[in-house]
Amino acid sequence: MVGWYWFHIVVVLMWSVVGVCLPVFKSSLQPTAISVSTYNLWNIMFNWDVRKYRIAQMIRESNPDVIGFQEVRSDLQQNQLSDLQQLLPNHKWKAYIPVQKVTQDPKAMPGLGWDIEGIGLLSRHPILSYEGQDLSLTTSPDKNKRQVLHAQVQIPEFGVVHFAVVHLSYDKRQQCNNVAEIAKYIEDGKFPHSIILGDFNIYKDFEQPVERLITGQFSSSGGCHKSLFLNNPRHEKAVTYTDAWRASNSKQTGLTFSNMPTPGLESRPDRILVSSKTLKVQSASIMGDGVLYKESFSSHVNWNRLTSVLSAAYASYHGAIGKACYHDCGPHGSCRCGVCVARGNKDSCLLPDCSECNSDTYLHFVAMTILFCLCLVQFLYASLQILFILNKKNQRLMQQMGINCCLCYPELYTSSGNPHRSKCKVWRLIARFWPCCRMPAFYQVTVCGIAMIIIIVAGLYKFRDTLSTINNTLPEEYFPSDHRLLTAIVHQAIDGPLIQALNV
């Protein structure tokens, strides 16, 4: 009986130890996950100086280790990735390749900049190397140069992961050819882990290019040319991929592109494909529908439009000629004074002939601003006079407050002010050139208050066309991009009976 007693005690202790150690052992075998995102920046469309803050906010919320970008604009002085990197200090590593020079509108003002477009990558982890792969052009109507950014990123517990950032042609035949070229590059590289992400420009009714990457071969019954099926048979070193969204959200459409402003979300060109043999998808998510952007940044959008119109007026005053917009306004908008307005696409104007921002508008704005500022300063000065007159009898309190400056002597602030008799040279000089200072304080406040109201009313009337242009905003401007941010969390594929048993 004693032996059985001790036997039960030993069994209970062993199960207790297993219960404590098994979760620790199991967690040590669980693979480390990384987060990957892709986003089309929509080049510099509609208030980039505002949109970048919302885009950086979305990236911080999705918290990707690596994020690929398409339609990245730059020039010799500026780069959209550099702008984002300043807002995302944790993403210290950057890879960028300029793909082509953007054809500017022949009517555009010279020197607008942002005339180079490319693709790029931001990473929390070291980018060991990167290069661009030129993709061949076919006889398609799309004559834009296409490249792939191939980058090697050193990720802890993963080793080197190969990232391919793509922005494929909108032409279906060229998509097929380019996918074959991308697959060959990766298969020849024999990378242990590879992830292809970006804007594939895939259509709902034509998934064949992506299916080639998923299955490792072209289908003989697909839409791609039969020669691709015959010339690219499946072979042993073919790399197959998993569509991150389809793997984790099979019952949801996952649409990411909208042909602004209507008909809304219509396709899923943005994809994250992970090598199926070495990586597994844990989850995938989409964000950036524009609701929060409009709620939180609409005032910033209006302010940015105001400064753009004023900049155009300043340019008109200095003799600038041409369209002042940095980008095309699309089929629903016209470019006026550096902003897009919802007046259709037939109402654009060229500087300096835009009535809302010509040189006369600039001069009138400067004159009225100076006059308003002078009245405001006089109003504040008179208000201080009244305060000091009311506190004149309580000079001890002012001395205790340490007010010993000549500008704050109570004698300066009598009913008439008498600054022309002041011991302070500054006040005497001001009174000589601005006689209003000699008026009694109450009259100064009244006159200046009425004058500021008159200036504001006159300004609203004088600049009514300018204000109408500023407020006539396109619906598209209240979206951070015409694409959504796609994020996937992936981990290394670890198989075997032990892992399967521990996961039961």
Side-chain angles (χ1 to χ4, degrees), residues 468-481:
S468 175
T469 295
I470 293 170
N471 294 323
N472 198 359
T473 308
L474 287 165
E476 299 97 304
E477 295 201 37
Y478 294 112
F479 288 82
S481 174

Side-chain angles (χ1 to χ4, degrees), residues 430-488:
I430 292 175
R432 180 180 300 177
F433 293 98
W434 190 250
C436 292
C437 295
R438 302 181 184 184
M439 296 172 61
F442 177 78
Y443 295 146
Q444 291 183 49
V445 169
T446 303
V447 170
C448 290
I450 294 174
M452 287 190 293
I453 293 174
I454 292 174
I455 293 171
I456 292 173
V457 173
L460 292 174
Y461 177 78
K462 172 63 181 176
F463 304 117
R464 61 189 183 278
D465 292 338
T466 304
L467 293 173
S468 175
T469 295
I470 293 170
N471 294 323
N472 198 359
T473 308
L474 287 165
E476 299 97 304
E477 295 201 37
Y478 294 112
F479 288 82
S481 174
D482 58 346
H483 289 249
R484 289 189 178 184
L485 176 69
L486 173 63
T487 302

Side-chain angles (χ1 to χ4, degrees), residues 131 133 150 162 180-189 191:
E131 65 176 354
Q133 176 194 4
H150 293 280
H162 178 82
E181 295 171 332
I182 295 169
K184 185 177 186 305
Y185 182 101
I186 294 176
E187 289 164 0
D188 291 344
F191 306 110

Side-chain angles (χ1 to χ4, degrees), residues 113-359:
W114 297 112
D115 56 350
I116 298 174
E117 186 164 295
I119 50 181
L121 195 77
L122 291 181
S123 174
R124 293 175 179 270
H125 309 291
I127 298 176
L128 303 180
S129 64
Y130 67 91
E131 65 176 354
Q133 176 194 4
D134 291 325
L135 300 178
S136 61
L137 293 174
T138 62
T139 56
S140 71
D142 184 8
K143 301 304 179 184
N144 293 307
K145 184 180 179 182
R146 302 288 177 174
Q147 281 189 320
V148 180
L149 170 62
H150 293 280
Q152 312 294 324
V153 182
Q154 180 72 46
I155 299 180
E157 300 188 33
F158 272 74
V160 178
V161 180
H162 178 82
F163 288 89
V165 183
V166 305
H167 189 190
L168 296 185
S169 168
Y170 59 80
D171 181 73
K172 296 177 180 179
R173 181 175 180 182
Q174 188 167 323
Q175 288 176 3
C176 296
N177 291 334
N178 292 164
V179 161
E181 295 171 332
I182 295 169
K184 185 177 186 305
Y185 182 101
I186 294 176
E187 289 164 0
D188 291 344
K190 299 179 180 180
F191 306 110
H193 306 294
S194 63
I195 298 176
I196 306 175
L197 67 162
D199 183 355
F200 286 77
N201 268 320
I202 294 296
Y203 299 91
K204 280 185 177 180
D205 59 348
F206 192 76
E207 291 268 349
Q208 183 70 4
V210 169
E211 293 300 326
R212 159 60 183 89
L213 295 172
I214 292 175
T215 63
Q217 63 180 354
F218 285 103
S219 171
S220 59
S221 59
C224 290
H225 197 271
K226 289 184 178 180
S227 62
L228 289 171
F229 169 72
L230 297 174
N231 298 331
N232 296 272
R234 179 156 186 174
H235 48 82
E236 293 182 358
K237 65 177 183 178
V239 180
T240 58
Y241 289 87
T242 300
D243 186 325
W245 181 263
R246 189 184 297 175
S248 59
N249 301 274
S250 58
K251 295 182 180 180
Q252 300 181 34
T253 58
L255 302 181
T256 60
F257 174 70
S258 174
N259 188 14
M260 295 292 186
T262 54
L265 293 172
E266 60 180 26
S267 60
R268 190 168 73 95
D270 304 282
R271 307 289 177 99
I272 297 176
L273 308 179
V274 302
S275 51
S276 57
K277 293 181 180 179
T278 61
L279 297 173
K280 296 295 182 183
V281 178
Q282 181 173 317
S283 63
S285 60
I286 294 173
M287 67 186 307
D289 58 6
V291 176
L292 184 59
Y293 179 64
K294 185 175 182 179
E295 291 177 353
S296 303
F297 291 90
S298 58
S299 60
H300 300 275
V301 169
N302 293 333
W303 176 257
N304 191 69
R305 289 175 64 87
L306 170 62
T307 57
S308 297
V309 171
L310 292 178
S311 297
Y314 177 79
S316 295
Y317 174 74
H318 287 277
I321 300 175
K323 282 186 179 180
C325 294
Y326 288 90
H327 53 80
D328 177 45
C329 291
H332 307 99
S334 296
C335 174
R336 300 188 67 88
C337 300
V339 298
C340 295
V341 294
R343 298 181 184 175
N345 60 356
K346 303 295 184 181
D347 198 26
S348 297
C349 65
L350 305 180
L351 300 184
D353 299 327
C354 300
S355 59
E356 310 98 299
C357 56
N358 56 25
S359 57

Side-chain angles (χ1 to χ4, degrees), residues 18 83 138 301 395 411 413 471:
V18 170
D83 289 352
T138 62
V301 169
Q395 296 184 24
E411 304 87 69
Y413 304 99
N471 294 323

